[in-house]
Amino acid sequence: QVQLVESGGGLVQAGGSLRLSCAASGRTFGSRTMGWFRQAPGKEREFVAAIRWSGGSTYYADSVKNRFTISRDNARNSVYLQMNSLKFEDTAKYYCAEGNPVYCSDYGCYSEGSRWDYWGQGTQVTVSS
């Protein structure tokens, strides 16, 4: 059983930066994938970024590519999301997740066929202007 806890959310001005953390308790396997999702009121949950535990390959949604950076610390079973040049449209509740298998490409990770088995409770990110 894996427990995921997000932290680091808050209020930030447009153009600013924020760093989110996700701590995973329990056993972590190199064949699995960690990811970040977000959901704004009235909208569906959308994929943001993902990283492989083994090898560290990263994948991003087009809307955040070149602004956000996902990273991991395998020894601490933690994953991070560095968010730069934040925009108002980035405002959402951000969730971390873990799963296997997860199918990804340079365009992001596909929901069809992928299995995200564990989810955190989320952390709110609000961007003001």
Side-chain angles (χ1 to χ4, degrees):
Q1 182 71 27
V2 177
Q3 300 290 326
L4 305 176
V5 180
E6 304 97 333
S7 63
L11 176 65
V12 63
Q13 292 185 340
S17 299
L18 207 60
R19 183 173 183 257
L20 305 183
S21 299
C22 177
S25 61
R27 299 169 66 182
T28 301
F29 300 93
S31 61
R32 300 181 72 85
T33 303
M34 295 292 295
W36 285 98
F37 294 78
R38 67 186 183 186
Q39 186 170 27
K43 294 186 177 181
E44 295 184 356
R45 184 178 299 177
E46 65 174 335
F47 168 80
V48 176
I51 187 169
R52 309 289 191 187
W53 276 117
S54 179
S57 297
T58 58
Y59 309 90
Y60 299 93
D62 287 342
S63 60
V64 305
K65 195 170 296 183
N66 299 317
R67 296 192 299 120
F68 292 9
T69 302
I70 188 171
S71 61
R72 88 271 195 251
D73 186 335
N74 295 62
R76 295 184 176 183
N77 284 351
S78 298
V79 64
Y80 310 94
L81 186 67
Q82 179 65 46
M83 304 183 293
N84 298 326
S85 301
L86 282 163
K87 306 174 181 179
F88 174 78
E89 48 264 46
D90 294 318
T91 296
K93 193 169 186 178
Y94 285 70
Y95 301 85
C96 65
E98 191 260 9
N100 181 64
V102 175
Y103 303 103
C104 306
S105 73
D106 290 341
Y107 304 100
C109 297
Y110 308 109
S111 60
E112 183 177 352
S114 297
R115 294 189 62 176
W116 297 98
D117 300 311
Y118 304 99
W119 294 81
Q121 292 299 309
T123 184
Q124 180 67 38
V125 172
T126 303
V127 183
S128 65
S129 60

